[in-house]
Amino acid sequence: MADWRRAGKTIALVPTMGALHPGHISLVRQAKENADKVVVSIFVNPTQFAPHEDLARYPRDEAGDLAKLSEAEADLVWSPSVDEMYPAVFSTSVKAGSAAADLEGAFRPHHFDGVATVCAKLFNQVTPDVAIFGEKDYQQLAVLRQLVDDLNMPLRLIAAPTVREKDGLALSSRNAYLSEKERAIAPALYATISEAAAQVAAGTPFTVITTDATAHLAEAGFTKVDYVEIRDAATLSAVVSPGKPLRILAAAWLGKTRLIDNIAAASPS
Ligand code: PAF
């Protein structure tokens, strides 16, 4: 990295937890368009998983990941061990800001502190000019924008659009957990929030939209709906002003697998 810097090269970082799919590769492509050199980090970050979550069974495929990154022409893969990232003496961490307060934050209380801490470490290790994050984890993006702004971190974050299967399901490493039956139900999440976005544009009251969407997900076969919410797209605040871009965010369970998704929505003009 120091050699690249000396040669005046710009650096893009694509932080990942591995088990790479075409969504991640689209982030690498965006990175290549925005910097001279692309670093991809692969680290399944234990501090963003609660004890009851899926850290132990999180999908891992180191050989497959390296092959995909070589084909995508990433310049460097940074794949530290847990001990390297969190040695026994590790004791400083970042507390995520107000964007972490609810939605995912309500269901995964320490998740965003773990994400903010590991991203701060990765930014310091790699010293990127830009870092690319997918809109699939929309709240994560908002939390990280706050991190970078609030702590004056010298890099720019770039948001990349969600990559979807033909049937609308957002690509996610966690889709690998879905049974055949669950996989058939899963696209209903995107279909439901897309319908909700159409209802927002038509001027339907938000409470009607979110109640209908929740019922629709249950009818489609989701076993539990954590939330369907319509928020200010920039701040994620529940208080929205007329004319401001909106975002519909949802999280729902299919058996043991929790899926999240989101979509842009525009208030009626
Ligand atoms: O989005 C992810 O895969 C992770 O949350 C990230 C940003 C790599 C931090 O561990």
Side-chain angles (χ1 to χ4, degrees), residues 88-111:
V89 293
F90 178 87
S91 75
T92 305
S93 53
V94 178
K95 186 173 174 337
S98 57
D102 64 351
L103 301 166
E104 289 303 286
F107 291 89
R108 307 183 70 191
H110 302 291
H111 171 68

Side-chain angles (χ1 to χ4, degrees), residues 15-17 24 43 45 48 111 115 118-119 133 137 140 144:
T16 81
M17 298 207 299
H24 294 112
F43 180 63
N45 174 35
Q48 67 189 76
H111 171 68
V115 170
V118 81
C119 286
F133 292 91
D137 293 296
Q140 168 170 280
L144 293 175

